[in-house]
Amino acid sequence: GEAVAPYRRALALEPTLPSLRSNLAGALSLSNGDLREQTALLEQAVLAHPDDGNAWTNLANAYRQNLDLSRSLEAGERAVQCAPSSALAHNNYALALREAQRWDAALQAAETACTLAPDHAGMRSNLSMLQLMRGDYANGWLSHEARWSGSSELRGNRPTFPAPTWKGEPLAGKTLLVWGEQGMG
């Protein structure tokens, strides 16, 4: 949120700076700014710089949040073309593909995102949802643990128990606490 005013000032001073509109839109997104303004800034950014993978990545997300699925898919595809090594481009494209129920392509994009950013909990959490939806429970439940730090809704809210987390070791003579969550416990 603190970046919005300096970005606006920079835009007023030098409106042709590359990435400025995309960065301002990103700051607005992270501070819950006006989605219409974000989208307009990003559309201007990709018009001025059609190969800007970051702008396309952000635009795919803005269109998805604005429920414009067809444009989100187009922007996501373009983002991946412009920035094939960007985990965020693949992740945002995966989210659009998931909304379009294009499961195979969504899974592939999410897996690519996680390969490119293996320690990113948010991307791992997104992958887990696709894996679980597809019935890949062995991988999905493992990846689902990332939700405690990767999901904005759950971040910092992991329940604490006065016992260690079970890692698959034998349970003979021990007690196992099963945590019921989301109807899947």
Side-chain angles (χ1 to χ4, degrees):
E2 294 175 14
V4 171
Y7 277 136
R8 288 190 193 285
R9 176 82 174 122
L11 187 61
L13 292 172
E14 188 56 57
T16 61
L17 279 176
S19 300
L20 184 55
R21 283 180 173 78
S22 184
N23 290 349
L24 173 54
L28 288 167
S29 175
L30 293 171
S31 60
N32 297 316
D34 183 4
L35 185 55
R36 289 173 301 199
E37 182 182 6
Q38 293 170 46
T39 303
L41 285 163
L42 292 164
E43 287 172 341
Q44 293 166 9
V46 298
L47 187 61
H49 302 282
D51 293 327
D52 184 345
N54 289 330
W56 284 110
T57 298
N58 293 339
L59 188 55
N61 192 49
Y63 282 145
R64 184 179 55 81
Q65 290 177 342
N66 204 30
L67 305 177
D68 191 340
L69 187 54
S70 64
R71 292 174 87 186
S72 179
L73 289 166
E74 291 170 9
E77 185 175 359
R78 181 77 170 143
V80 168
Q81 290 170 355
C82 292
S85 61
S86 167
L88 188 58
H90 289 276
N91 183 72
N92 287 2
Y93 189 36
L95 294 173
L97 290 163
R98 184 175 79 181
E99 291 296 320
Q101 299 181 8
R102 292 175 45 192
W103 307 118
D104 292 339
L107 185 63
Q108 182 179 9
E111 287 172 343
T112 300
C114 287
T115 298
L116 293 168
D119 296 326
H120 193 287
M123 292 179 196
R124 178 79 44 209
S125 181
N126 290 339
L127 173 61
S128 77
M129 288 294 137
L130 284 163
Q131 290 169 326
L132 291 171
M133 291 169 65
R134 301 286 306 232
D136 181 3
Y137 300 120
N139 291 310
W141 287 123
L142 288 173
S143 298
H144 196 54
E145 285 301 304
R147 74 196 178 284
W148 296 112
S149 52
S151 165
S152 59
E153 299 88 19
L154 297 175
R155 191 174 299 122
N157 293 311
R158 184 182 187 129
T160 55
F161 299 106
T165 301
W166 182 52
K167 303 285 186 194
E169 65 273 9
L171 293 173
K174 297 180 180 179
T175 301
L176 177 67
L177 172 64
V178 178
W179 174 259
E181 178 188 338
Q182 302 173 8
M184 299 182 284

